[in-house]
């Protein structure tokens, strides 16, 4: 899940790995995040993992190296490959973030996710309101229109919502805000996941209206209003995500 939007597209059904290498990475990575492979424990030896996933030693070792680079695993001589502690996990990595969506609820993780958004996105919205361009406003209004015409398609509506936030992040010209793409998408995925089985049209209407207000405040150069409107959309995501948890 490295392309922006791929996590939201997967909400309608679990995406399948494209090859054996991806399959091993996804299965072990998701297993670490979910706790199936507990922190501090040693993974089964190569022979067992090769048999479990029906892959060659080369494929397995490459997959383990990838997971080690993401901070989830650490190889120790004469000990084996252990599951690393959470402080080492690369939480800005899109795949690491995506694996949290199917894991048991981690209250600390969710709280931190929304806290980071509250810390940076509202300031980004205020900055965009201060120096927005006509082209940026046209793009934002385009995605608002896409949300309006996608009220009957949850996936398309969610993608349009996320793209609007991406436009604002880009327009802020702050590389640290752009680095939030994965967090922003995951927060949207948590919120929209609750609507898959219990679709409530009123929820989408409220989301649409809050985003219309956000773009309106940016368009009119209202920095304080844009900051508050962004805070409101983030809180909306948090409340929706928590509603059925």
């Amino acid at each position: 899940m490295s392309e922006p939007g791929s996590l939201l597209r997967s909400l309608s059904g679990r995406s399948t790995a494209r090859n054996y290498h991806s399959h091993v990475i996804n299965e072990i990575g998701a297993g670490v995040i979910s706790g199936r492979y507990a922190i501090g424990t040693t993974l089964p030896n190569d022979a067992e993992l090769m048999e479990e996933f029906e892959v060659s030693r080369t494929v397995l070792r490459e997959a383990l190296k990838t997971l080690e680079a993401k901070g989830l695993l650490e190889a120790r001589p004469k000990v084996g490959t252990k599951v690393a502690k959470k402080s080492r996990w690369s939480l800005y990595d899109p795949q690491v973030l995506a694996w949290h969506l199917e894991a048991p609820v981690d209250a600390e993780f969710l709280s931190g996710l929304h806290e980071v958004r509250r810390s940076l996105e509202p300031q980004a919205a205020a900055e965009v309101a201060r120096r927005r361009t006509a082209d940026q406003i046209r793009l934002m209004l385009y995605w608002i229109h896409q949300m309006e015409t996608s009220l009957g398609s949850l996936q398309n509506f969610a993608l349009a919502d996320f793209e609007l936030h991406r436009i604002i992040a880009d327009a802020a010209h702050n590389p640290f805000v752009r680095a939030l793409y994965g967090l922003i998408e995951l927060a949207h995925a948590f919120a929209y996941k609750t609507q898959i089985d219990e679709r409530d049209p009123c929820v989408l209407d409220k989301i649409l209206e809050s985003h219309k207000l956000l773009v309106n405040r940016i368009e009119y150069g209202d920095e304080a209003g844009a900051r508050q409107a962004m805070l409101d959309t983030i809180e909306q995501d948090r409340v929706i995500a928590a509603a059925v948890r």
Side-chain angles (χ1 to χ4, degrees):
M1 301 273 181
S2 57
E3 290 298 317
S6 58
L7 179 58
L8 288 169
R9 292 186 185 93
S10 75
L11 289 178
S12 57
R14 188 171 181 179
S15 59
T16 56
R18 290 170 294 193
N19 52 48
Y20 288 118
H21 179 257
S22 297
H23 175 68
V24 176
I25 290 173
N26 280 321
E27 290 301 310
I28 296 179
V32 169
I33 301 301
S34 69
R36 182 161 61 89
Y37 298 112
I39 292 173
T41 61
T42 302
L43 291 185
N45 62 40
D46 284 5
E48 292 177 86
L49 291 173
M50 289 162 58
E51 182 179 357
E52 178 181 352
F53 297 116
E54 299 181 341
V55 295
S56 68
R57 187 180 301 276
T58 299
V59 169
L60 175 65
R61 296 313 300 174
E62 286 301 314
L64 295 180
K65 285 180 182 178
T66 298
L67 291 166
E68 189 172 359
K70 294 176 184 293
L72 299 184
L73 303 176
E74 50 187 348
R76 295 183 178 180
K78 299 182 180 181
V79 175
T81 302
K82 299 180 72 70
V83 178
K85 53 188 177 182
K86 286 185 179 181
S87 60
R88 294 187 50 135
W89 296 359
S90 299
L91 289 181
Y92 284 90
D93 183 290
Q95 274 190 310
V96 176
L97 287 168
W99 289 325
H100 281 82
L101 187 62
E102 299 302 328
V105 177
D106 182 333
E108 183 179 284
F109 175 84
L110 288 176
S111 176
L113 176 69
H114 294 296
E115 187 175 333
V116 169
R117 291 189 69 196
R118 286 194 298 266
S119 298
L120 294 177
E121 279 194 272
Q123 182 56 38
E127 182 64 23
V128 176
R130 184 175 69 83
R131 58 181 185 185
R132 76 274 184 221
T133 67
D135 283 343
Q136 289 165 350
I137 295 301
R138 275 195 290 272
L139 279 171
M140 293 179 207
L141 291 174
Y142 169 80
W143 287 113
I144 286 292
H145 178 68
Q146 291 301 108
M147 291 174 74
E148 288 179 317
T149 58
S150 299
L151 286 168
S153 171
L154 183 65
Q155 178 175 284
N156 290 341
F157 185 93
L159 284 166
D161 180 352
F162 171 56
E163 288 299 334
L164 175 58
H165 282 263
R166 279 222 300 159
I167 293 298
I168 295 171
D170 276 338
H173 297 293
N174 184 326
F176 295 98
V177 176
R178 289 194 187 103
L180 294 181
Y181 284 170
L183 280 80
I184 295 170
E185 183 174 4
L186 179 62
H188 281 72
F190 274 122
Y192 285 107
K193 185 181 178 183
T194 68
Q195 294 297 302
I196 293 175
D197 297 321
E198 299 182 26
R199 185 79 60 89
D200 183 351
C202 292
V203 169
L204 299 191
D205 287 338
K206 290 176 182 177
I207 292 173
L208 175 60
E209 290 307 310
S210 69
H211 285 75
K212 281 183 176 179
L213 177 60
L214 171 61
V215 173
N216 176 271
R217 293 301 85 204
I218 291 175
E219 182 177 10
Y220 284 91
D222 180 356
E223 295 180 45
R227 182 182 291 107
Q228 185 58 54
M230 181 62 85
L231 276 169
D232 290 344
T233 68
I234 294 169
E235 177 63 11
Q236 193 173 50
D237 285 344
R238 187 194 68 78
V239 170
I240 295 171
V244 296
R245 287 184 173 273

